[in-house]
């Protein structure tokens, strides 16, 4: 499969370095090949987006929505095929890959429906014969930079609102998962998106930096690491440019003594090990009330050990590989360090030695019983299938331990006590809170994003996205004379 860049409505081969899209389950298997965009091609993409911006902004919202609806139809019809491709290039199980593709279609449909909602507000004026209107206008050219872990869903939840609100887009997807990026761009162009409205360039960090710092890009939406995200924020601050970042998490699940332990264990395992833990909302810290800690940890460990790990396209496999050898080695080093600091492994921890999994980028589902929260593990995001557990004497201590983090994206609490659940809402410093469900998961019609080191700027998804992809004009509409 040849990977092409999309610039000004034309599919072009990049003139930069060659790159290969490999299967993390079998790294010697090439999924697709292409060339990165050179700086001149990224410049041309920005120029094309700027040229297309006035016409797209002037296009009636329902006509823009029709493109998103048709693209959603194309994506849905291709879900099985593209889900298999997603599993091959990213490592999710086939079921997860297909579900993600279908989720992208749902996101596009949601933002198509924005054409049927209010587009402004009207206020009374103290002056006779005058009304005050608040109308929304697109910001212009949006720079979009997306990560590897959700190759079609995260791009969809950035690009769909940008397009529905009348903006044009310059998009740099992760070069680790370029094929699903190509598929999304194809769906939108095949649906009738005009030339230049969406431009996609493959590149590394320097390409992303060029997009962020370009005067022709009016706003930037970024998902990735905290370190890179803060650099993006700083650069946009220098340029007085709107910026929206989602930068990961170190998410805690809290299990109180009155919880349904079977349900809690199942949800913790899903939150920690689905998608091989490569979710910004994945559970990586577990806080259990003393009275049930041994019982709950035994149940989680039993479920973790029972997970079938292997080729994500194989029937019955429940967890695939990490995205790369670098990711695998980083996770293994983090587990080894935690054990050296006194953590006790209850499941996993040892690298695979069988030929099939040792040849790929596989990491075992791991549960560590931590001696306390002073370990580097408690604060550092590993982005893999590893959970560290500590004990708490009561709910108040549990909430305090959960807040011992530089991140504040997601959390979960398991309890039968409504009062404890409401106290969690008041006391946990996060942007997303799940009560009696896993820490991962979000829907396109509600806001998504974190606090502290997990997010900056307006939230993503839902109508919150409108606050980022539009600006308001307050119009004092009076009568002549």
């Amino acid at each position: 499969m040849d990977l092409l860049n999309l610039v000004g409505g034309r599919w072009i081969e990049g003139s930069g370095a060659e790159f290969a899209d490999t299967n993390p389950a079998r790294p010697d298997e090439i999924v697709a090949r292409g060339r990165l965009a050179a700086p001149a091609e990224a410049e041309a993409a920005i120029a094309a987006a700027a040229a297309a911006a006035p016409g797209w902004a002037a296009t009636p919202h329902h006509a823009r929505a029709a493109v998103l609806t048709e693209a959603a139809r194309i994506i849905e019809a291709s879900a099985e095929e593209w889900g298999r491709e997603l599993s091959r290039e990213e490592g999710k199980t086939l079921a997860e890959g297909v579900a993600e593709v279908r989720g992208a279609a749902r996101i596009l449909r949601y933002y198509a429906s924005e054409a049927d909602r209010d587009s402004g507000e009207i206020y009374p004026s103290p002056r006779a014969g005058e009304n005050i209107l608040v109308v929304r206008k697109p910001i212009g050219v949006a720079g979009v930079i997306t990560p590897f872990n959700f190759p079609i869903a995260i791009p969809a939840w950035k690009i769909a609102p940008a397009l529905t609100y009348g903006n044009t887009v310059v998009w740099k997807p992760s070069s680790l998962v370029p094929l699903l990026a190509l598929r999304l761009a194809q769906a939108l162009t095949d649906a009738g998106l005009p030339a230049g409205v969406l431009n996609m360039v493959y590149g590394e960090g320097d390409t992303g930096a060029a997009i962020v710092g370009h005067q022709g890009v009016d706003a930037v939406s970024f998902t990735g690491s905290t370190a890179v995200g803060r650099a993006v924020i700083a650069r946009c601050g220098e340029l007085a440019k709107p910026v929206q970042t989602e930068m990961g998490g170190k998410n805690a699940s809290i299990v109180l003594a009155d919880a349904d332990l079977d349900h809690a264990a199942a949800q913790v395992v899903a939150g920690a090990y689905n998608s091989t833990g490569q979710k910004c909302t994945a559970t990586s810290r577990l806080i259990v009330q003393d009275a049930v800690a041994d019982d709950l940890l035994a149940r989680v460990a039993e479920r973790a050990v029972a997970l079938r790990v292997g080729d994500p396209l194989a029937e019955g496999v429940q967890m695939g590989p990490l995205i790369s050898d670098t990711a695998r080695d980083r996770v293994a080093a983090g587990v080894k360090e935690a054990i050296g600091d006194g953590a006790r492994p209850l499941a996993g921890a040892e690298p695979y030695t069988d030929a099939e999994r040792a040849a790929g980028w596989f990491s075992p589902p791991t549960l560590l019983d931590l001696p306390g929260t002073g370990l580097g593990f408690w604060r550092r995001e590993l982005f893999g299938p590893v959970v560290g557990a500590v004990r708490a004497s009561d709910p108040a201590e549990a909430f305090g331990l959960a807040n011992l983090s530089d991140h504040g994206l997601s959390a979960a609490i398991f309890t039968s006590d409504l009062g404890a659940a409401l106290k969690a809402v008041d006391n946990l410093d996060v942007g997303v809170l799940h009560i009696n469900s896993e820490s991962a998961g979000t829907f396109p019609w509600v806001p998504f994003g974190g606090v502290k080191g997990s997010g900056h700027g307006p939230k993503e998804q839902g109508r919150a996205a409108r606050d980022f992809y539009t600006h308001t004009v307050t119009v004092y509409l009076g009568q002549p004379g």
Side-chain angles (χ1 to χ4, degrees), residues 266-323:
Q267 291 295 300
V268 168
V269 167
Y273 306 126
N274 284 353
S275 301
T276 322
Q278 295 177 129
K279 293 181 178 179
C280 52
T281 52
T283 297
S284 58
R285 298 182 297 151
L286 179 58
I287 301 163
V288 193
Q289 200 166 344
D290 278 323
V292 295
D294 289 341
D295 191 356
L296 187 279
L297 292 179
R299 295 179 195 225
V300 172
E302 181 181 11
R303 287 175 179 270
V305 169
L307 289 173
R308 184 178 171 191
V309 180
D311 185 340
L313 293 176
E315 186 176 353
V317 166
Q318 297 165 290
M319 195 180 93
L322 290 164
I323 188 64

Side-chain angles (χ1 to χ4, degrees), residues 58-437:
T59 301
H61 198 163
H62 282 87
R64 300 195 298 259
V67 174
L68 296 182
T69 300
E70 175 59 13
R73 186 198 64 78
I74 293 169
I75 293 169
E76 184 71 42
S78 306
E80 295 291 335
E81 176 189 353
W82 294 1
R84 180 172 291 273
E85 292 177 338
L86 193 158
S87 295
R88 286 183 67 212
E89 75 168 356
E90 196 273 342
K92 282 188 175 74
T93 64
L94 180 58
E96 289 176 312
V98 172
E100 182 180 335
V101 174
R102 289 184 173 142
R106 179 166 64 175
I107 291 164
L108 265 64
R109 289 195 184 98
Y110 171 80
Y111 283 106
S113 70
E114 277 291 90
D116 295 328
R117 300 190 182 100
D118 64 278
S119 60
E121 301 160 355
I122 185 167
Y123 294 88
S125 170
R127 294 191 287 259
E130 180 180 73
N131 285 302
I132 304 171
L133 311 181
V134 177
V135 299
R136 289 186 176 267
K137 299 177 70 172
I139 52 174
V141 176
V144 169
I145 301 172
T146 57
F148 75 85
N149 57 324
F150 285 88
I152 192 168
I154 289 178
W157 83 41
K158 293 178 184 292
I159 293 169
L163 296 179
T164 200
Y165 298 128
N167 302 281
T168 58
V169 174
V170 179
W171 171 31
K172 189 197 84 67
S174 169
S175 57
L176 293 172
V177 287
L179 182 52
L180 266 291
L182 179 73
R183 296 305 188 206
L184 177 59
Q186 284 177 328
L188 286 162
T189 56
D190 290 350
L193 197 67
V197 173
L198 173 65
N199 304 270
M200 182 188 71
V201 289
Y202 296 120
E204 302 298 344
D206 56 346
T207 304
I211 292 171
V212 170
H214 200 287
Q215 293 288 354
V217 173
D218 298 298
V220 174
S221 181
F222 167 87
T223 296
S225 72
T226 298
V228 176
R230 286 176 172 165
V232 170
I233 294 166
R235 182 65 175 134
C236 288
E238 291 173 2
L239 300 170
K241 181 180 297 189
V243 61
Q244 171 191 71
T245 64
E246 195 279 287
M247 300 180 290
K250 188 70 177 176
N251 311 296
S253 285
I254 299 169
V255 181
L256 300 184
D258 60 359
D260 179 327
L261 297 188
D262 269 340
H263 174 73
Q267 291 295 300
V268 168
V269 167
Y273 306 126
N274 284 353
S275 301
T276 322
Q278 295 177 129
K279 293 181 178 179
C280 52
T281 52
T283 297
S284 58
R285 298 182 297 151
L286 179 58
I287 301 163
V288 193
Q289 200 166 344
D290 278 323
V292 295
D294 289 341
D295 191 356
L296 187 279
L297 292 179
R299 295 179 195 225
V300 172
E302 181 181 11
R303 287 175 179 270
V305 169
L307 289 173
R308 184 178 171 191
V309 180
D311 185 340
L313 293 176
E315 186 176 353
V317 166
Q318 297 165 290
M319 195 180 93
L322 290 164
I323 188 64
S324 67
D325 56 344
T326 302
R328 181 198 60 184
D329 295 346
R330 180 187 67 244
V331 169
V335 170
K336 183 178 180 180
E337 178 188 312
I339 293 172
D341 289 340
R344 181 168 62 97
L346 303 179
E350 293 296 325
Y352 289 115
T353 57
D354 59 283
E356 179 183 354
R357 290 181 294 193
W361 313 137
F362 292 94
S363 179
T366 297
L367 175 63
L368 303 174
D369 189 356
L370 305 181
T373 60
L375 286 70
F377 177 90
W378 192 253
R379 291 182 179 272
R380 188 171 64 250
E381 183 180 34
L382 288 184
F383 217 60
V386 185
V387 178
V390 298
R391 292 160 169 76
S393 59
D394 56 31
E397 184 184 13
F399 298 153
L401 294 176
N403 286 333
L404 284 177
S405 175
D406 298 327
H407 295 92
L409 180 54
S410 181
I413 179 171
F414 297 89
T415 180
S416 299
D417 182 349
L418 177 60
L422 292 174
K423 287 180 180 177
V425 175
D426 289 339
N427 288 282
L428 293 176
D429 195 11
V430 293
V432 179
L433 176 61
H434 292 260
I435 297 173
N436 293 318
S437 62

